């Protein structure tokens, strides 16, 4: 497309046809950005109003307008829904601000939509309900003031402009009128359209005040920049750096919520580099910033594990939306600083960093207020095992080694392979190709052995209880010896993964240990196996 040949009307028509998804096409207009930008800044007055009206068709908006008219109040859709509408990102999450009482308007709209349950939060003057797949929240327009030790504001009634001014960023301060005489009109008091066009994050007012009032907005700025691939304006970014220490008044739960959203973006490293640049990362996640730096002694150095880890995170992002697998990528080398050693002969080593890293996960999750449940155990498993497929890929892939990996990884084996492939960040193309080819061999072997031996989530075919009954034993060392012998025999392919062969091996091992067989009847899942003259 030759932008220079476009007239202003042609660009307007093109924008109309795309129904506000202008940001996706801004790069097309790079050669004549001033023209495109001037048009975009006037979008609310010059663009075909039918496009915006079409975007807010349906009973939800109509009933809000109807209820506000009955109550003789103004109502506006504001914030993220408007931003995402203009960016072409589908959203069913509505924030409605009114010049009247938000709770009263919510109840009136719920009645018109035949919604049975409205959740009311009197302390905050808000109410919300679900309508099909829409989540709709109502609040009265307000002003806010803050004390230095809290992000919870003192509020008082205000105008729509007051309410826009209290928003965190200009792109979140855009509003759409739902009044009958101005239905669908876009209200852009602080230049949000301009900032969307320029792909920048900026506060409606003084950024120092914005971030001092509510320090969580610093995390949100970086999260939006990462999610939308926007730039934080220099004066806004500088204000984050100046006010970084204010993050201490925010609960770690809220901080981790924003951190998780950054981790789930298409290129998480962008957010982490901003967190690091502003000083926030060292305040909220110091164990991670300890990965920074490459040290050299006698010309022997190691890679910067901070940069390597973020590269691994970016490499895994296109292949999974599993938050905890992404956390595993973030933490897979977390123990390298504490296991780093220099050997004059071999250079730098990080022996046992996978085991030490696994041990560090509970304290990290506790500090960040992340779940201390199966999610933690999953990340521990990934960190502990992340070298195993790489070691396999460096040597001849034996059936025994693959069986061991299958048993230890269980149903998470595919995630583990995804992590290991992302961990290959070498700039040596031949080395990368060799690893990837060997990983394919490992994957093929995994599939073949799984189909043959059914080893995922493996349990011993002969349990400790069966061993104790067969030989009349209480829990003791001999039971463990027999169980281990059965496990090793299955892993080495000496017997198949079934009860009959494992039971016969149990008898042989018991005889070697000098144990007396009691001829007990043993129940096998799905059948009864008689081992002697049972009554």
């Amino acid at each position: 497309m030759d932008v220079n040949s476009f007239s202003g009307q042609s660009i307007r028509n093109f924008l109309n046809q795309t129904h506000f998804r202008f940001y996706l096409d801004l790069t097309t207009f790079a050669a004549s950005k001033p023209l495109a930008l001037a048009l975009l800044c006037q979008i609310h007055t010059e663009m075909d109003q039918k496009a915006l009206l079409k975007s807010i068709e349906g009973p939800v908006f109509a009933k809000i307008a109807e209820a506000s008219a009955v109550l003789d109040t103004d109502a506006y859709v504001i914030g993220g829904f408007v931003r995402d509408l203009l960016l072409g990102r589908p959203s069913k999450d509505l924030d409605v601000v009114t010049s009247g009482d938000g709770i009263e308007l919510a109840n009136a709209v719920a009645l018109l939509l035949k919604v049975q349950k409205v959740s009311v939060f009197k302390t905050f003057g808000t109410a919300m309900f679900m309508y099909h797949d829409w989540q709709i929240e109502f609040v009265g327009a307000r002003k806010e003031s803050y004390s230095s030790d809290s992000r919870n504001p003192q509020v008082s009634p205000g105008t729509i402009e007051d309410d826009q001014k209290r928003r965190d960023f200009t792109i979140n301060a855009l509003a759409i009128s739902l009044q009958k005489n101005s239905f669908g009109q876009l209200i852009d008091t602080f230049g949000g359209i301009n900032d969307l066009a320029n792909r920048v994050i900026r506060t409606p007012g003084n950024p120092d005040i914005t971030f001092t009032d509510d320090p969580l907005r610093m995390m949100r700025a970086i999260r939006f920049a990462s999610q939308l691939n926007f730039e934080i304006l220099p004066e806004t970014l500088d204000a984050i750096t100046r006010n970084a220490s204010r993050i201490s008044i925010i609960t770690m739960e809220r901080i981790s919520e924003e951190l998780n959203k950054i981790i789930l973006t298409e290129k998480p490293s962008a957010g982490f580099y901003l967190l690091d640049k502003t000083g926030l990362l060292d305040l909220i996640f110091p164990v991670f910033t300890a990965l920074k730096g490459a040290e050299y002694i006698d010309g022997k150095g190691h890679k910067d594990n901070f940069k390597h880890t973020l590269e691994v995170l970016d490499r895994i992002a296109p292949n999974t939306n599993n938050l905890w697998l992404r956390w595993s990528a973030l933490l897979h080398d977390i123990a390298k600083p504490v296991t780093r050693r220099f050997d004059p002969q071999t250079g730098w080593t990080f022996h046992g960093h996978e085991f030490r890293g696994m041990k560090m996960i509970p304290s990290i999750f506790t500090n960040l207020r992340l779940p201390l449940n199966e999610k933690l155990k999953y990340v521990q498993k990934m960190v502990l095992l992340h070298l195993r497929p790489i070691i396999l890929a460096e040597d001849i892939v034996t059936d025994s080694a693959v069986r061991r990996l299958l048993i230890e990884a269980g149903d998470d084996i595919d995630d583990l392979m995804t992590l290991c492939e992302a961990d290959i960040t070498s700039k040596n193309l031949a080395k990368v190709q060799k690893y990837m080819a060997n990983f394919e061999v490992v994957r093929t072997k995994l599939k073949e052995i799984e189909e043959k031996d059914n080893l995922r989530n493996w349990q011993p075919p002969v349990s400790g209880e069966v061993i104790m009954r067969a030989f009349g034993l209480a829990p003791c060392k001999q039971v463990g010896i027999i169980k281990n012998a059965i496990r090793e025999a299955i892993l080495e392919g000496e017997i198949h993964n079934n009860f009959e062969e494992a039971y016969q091996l149990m008898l042989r091992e018991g005889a070697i240990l000098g144990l007396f067989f009691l001829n007990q009847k043993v129940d096998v899942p799905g059948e009864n196996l008689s081992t002697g003259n049972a009554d």
Side-chain angles (χ1 to χ4, degrees):
M1 181 184 298
D2 182 4
V3 175
N4 293 312
S5 67
F6 265 39
S7 67
Q9 186 60 46
S10 298
I11 297 178
R12 274 195 292 274
N13 290 339
F14 178 75
L15 292 172
N16 287 340
Q17 292 164 12
T18 57
H19 295 279
F20 293 98
R21 297 182 65 176
F22 57 83
Y23 95 106
L24 295 174
D25 303 289
L26 266 181
T27 52
T28 307
F29 304 130
S32 60
K33 187 175 179 182
L35 172 60
L37 185 56
L39 289 167
L40 291 170
C41 290
Q42 299 177 52
I43 195 171
H44 59 291
T45 56
E46 294 193 25
M47 190 172 181
D48 185 0
Q49 193 66 23
K50 291 181 181 178
L52 184 53
L53 291 173
K54 185 174 179 60
S55 299
I56 56 172
E57 286 179 347
V60 170
F61 301 97
K63 296 304 182 184
I64 295 172
E66 181 180 341
S68 65
V70 169
L71 295 173
D72 194 25
T73 62
D74 296 338
Y76 307 85
V77 180
I78 194 167
F81 175 86
V82 183
R83 178 199 69 229
D84 288 344
L85 174 65
L86 297 176
L87 294 179
R89 291 154 47 100
S91 175
K92 293 294 183 74
D93 190 350
L94 279 185
D95 289 326
V96 178
V97 64
T98 175
S99 59
D101 185 294
I103 296 173
E104 184 181 31
L105 179 60
N107 286 323
V109 175
L111 186 64
L112 293 174
L113 291 172
K114 297 180 171 57
V115 171
Q116 300 298 316
K117 182 180 179 181
V118 177
S119 299
V120 175
F121 309 94
K122 288 185 178 180
T123 302
F124 302 102
T126 64
M128 65 84 61
F129 60 77
M130 297 296 299
Y131 176 72
H132 299 307
D133 54 348
W134 290 87
Q135 178 175 297
I136 313 172
E137 184 169 345
F138 299 80
V139 65
R142 62 193 189 187
K143 302 176 184 178
E144 293 181 343
S145 59
Y146 292 80
S147 63
S148 61
D149 60 347
S150 173
R151 67 179 291 264
N152 298 318
Q154 299 294 318
V155 301
S156 59
T159 64
I160 179 61
E161 184 174 332
D162 291 327
D163 204 90
Q164 288 177 297
K165 188 175 183 179
R166 74 178 181 85
R167 303 282 162 168
D168 49 8
F169 310 111
T170 59
I171 61 172
N172 294 334
L174 295 160
I176 297 174
S177 171
L178 297 181
Q179 279 66 255
K180 183 177 181 180
N181 62 347
S182 59
F183 189 87
Q185 179 180 331
L186 187 63
I187 303 169
D188 180 20
T189 306
F190 297 100
I193 289 292
N194 192 358
D195 291 340
L196 282 176
N198 281 316
R199 304 172 69 84
V200 296
I201 305 294
R202 181 172 61 88
T203 61
N206 184 320
D208 285 297
I209 295 174
T210 296
F211 298 136
T212 299
D213 284 349
D214 184 356
L216 188 64
R217 290 169 174 169
M218 297 185 288
M219 295 289 298
R220 284 171 56 82
I222 291 171
R223 188 250 294 180
F224 281 123
S226 188
Q227 280 182 332
L228 302 175
N229 193 24
F230 277 27
E231 177 189 358
I232 302 176
L233 284 183
E235 56 267 32
T236 304
L237 194 64
D238 289 345
I240 294 176
T241 303
R242 286 193 297 272
N243 294 282
S245 62
R246 288 280 292 161
I247 200 69
S248 62
I249 72 168
I250 304 298
T251 65
M252 192 53 72
E253 288 85 354
R254 298 301 301 274
I255 291 171
S256 289
E257 184 180 341
E258 293 298 326
L259 200 58
N260 285 340
K261 290 176 181 178
I262 291 170
I263 290 171
L264 285 173
T265 58
E266 288 186 8
K267 189 178 180 183
S269 67
F272 275 88
Y273 281 120
L274 285 172
L275 288 171
D276 183 50
K277 182 177 182 179
T278 57
L280 284 169
L281 191 60
D282 200 40
L283 293 169
I284 64 176
F285 199 4
V287 70
F288 187 70
T289 58
L291 288 167
K292 291 170 66 174
E295 190 172 350
Y296 287 81
I297 296 179
D298 297 335
K300 296 176 181 178
H302 63 79
K303 61 190 172 188
D304 185 322
N305 287 298
F306 181 82
K307 293 179 180 178
H308 163 73
T309 296
L310 293 180
E311 187 175 352
V312 174
L313 184 58
D314 282 349
R315 281 173 54 80
I316 208 170
N319 300 314
T320 182
N321 287 321
N322 178 346
L323 172 63
W324 305 108
L325 182 52
R326 293 192 183 199
W327 265 107
S328 302
L330 195 67
L331 298 176
H332 77 285
D333 281 345
I334 198 66
K336 279 194 170 179
V338 296
T339 58
R340 181 176 58 189
R341 301 289 183 272
F342 180 76
D343 184 310
Q345 302 300 319
T346 60
W348 293 97
T349 65
F350 304 91
H351 295 314
H353 76 273
E354 71 282 12
F355 179 75
R356 288 286 297 275
M358 181 267 291
K359 292 290 189 181
M360 290 170 67
I361 304 303
S363 63
I364 291 172
F365 271 45
T366 298
N367 291 339
L368 293 174
R369 302 298 188 269
L370 295 171
L372 304 178
N373 53 19
E374 70 280 356
K375 308 301 184 186
L376 180 150
K377 293 177 182 178
Y378 168 89
V379 175
Q380 282 188 298
K381 181 196 287 188
M382 292 294 105
V383 171
L384 178 64
L385 298 179
H386 80 270
L387 291 180
R388 293 283 293 280
I390 294 176
I391 294 170
L392 276 178
E394 290 175 337
D395 205 345
I396 297 172
V397 183
T398 65
D399 287 3
S400 173
V402 172
R403 286 191 190 96
R404 292 176 189 277
L405 184 60
L406 262 172
I407 285 177
E408 293 192 43
D411 277 342
D412 299 318
I413 185 64
D414 294 326
D415 287 353
L416 180 62
M417 292 301 299
T418 300
L419 173 59
C420 291
E421 288 166 351
D423 197 16
I424 305 302
T425 62
S426 172
K427 301 302 182 283
N428 184 326
L429 182 60
K431 185 177 180 181
V432 171
Q433 289 175 338
K434 177 186 175 183
Y435 270 112
M436 292 307 174
N438 285 357
F439 279 142
E440 281 304 311
V441 174
V442 174
R443 282 187 180 274
T444 301
K445 282 274 192 182
L446 285 167
K447 184 177 180 181
E448 291 173 354
I449 291 174
E450 166 61 16
E451 289 175 351
K452 181 174 66 173
D453 294 346
N454 190 29
L455 290 174
R456 290 201 190 200
N457 295 319
W458 182 81
Q459 295 294 325
V462 171
S463 68
E465 182 182 353
V466 168
I467 296 170
M468 289 187 290
R469 288 174 56 191
F471 297 109
L473 299 172
C476 62
K477 181 179 179 180
Q478 286 89 340
V479 175
I481 291 172
I482 294 172
K483 285 181 68 177
N484 188 61
I486 293 170
R487 181 180 186 273
E488 289 300 311
I490 292 171
L491 289 173
E492 294 297 332
E494 296 169 3
I495 66 173
H496 292 102
N497 184 32
N498 61 55
F499 180 86
E500 291 77 10
E501 293 186 44
Y503 195 85
Q504 292 305 314
L505 178 59
M506 177 199 76
L507 297 178
R508 295 195 296 272
E509 291 293 323
I512 292 171
L513 293 171
L515 300 177
F516 179 70
F517 179 51
L518 297 181
N519 290 341
Q520 293 292 311
K521 181 179 180 181
V522 178
D523 293 328
V524 184
E527 59 179 306
N528 288 329
L529 178 65
S530 179
T531 61
N533 298 319
D535 292 334

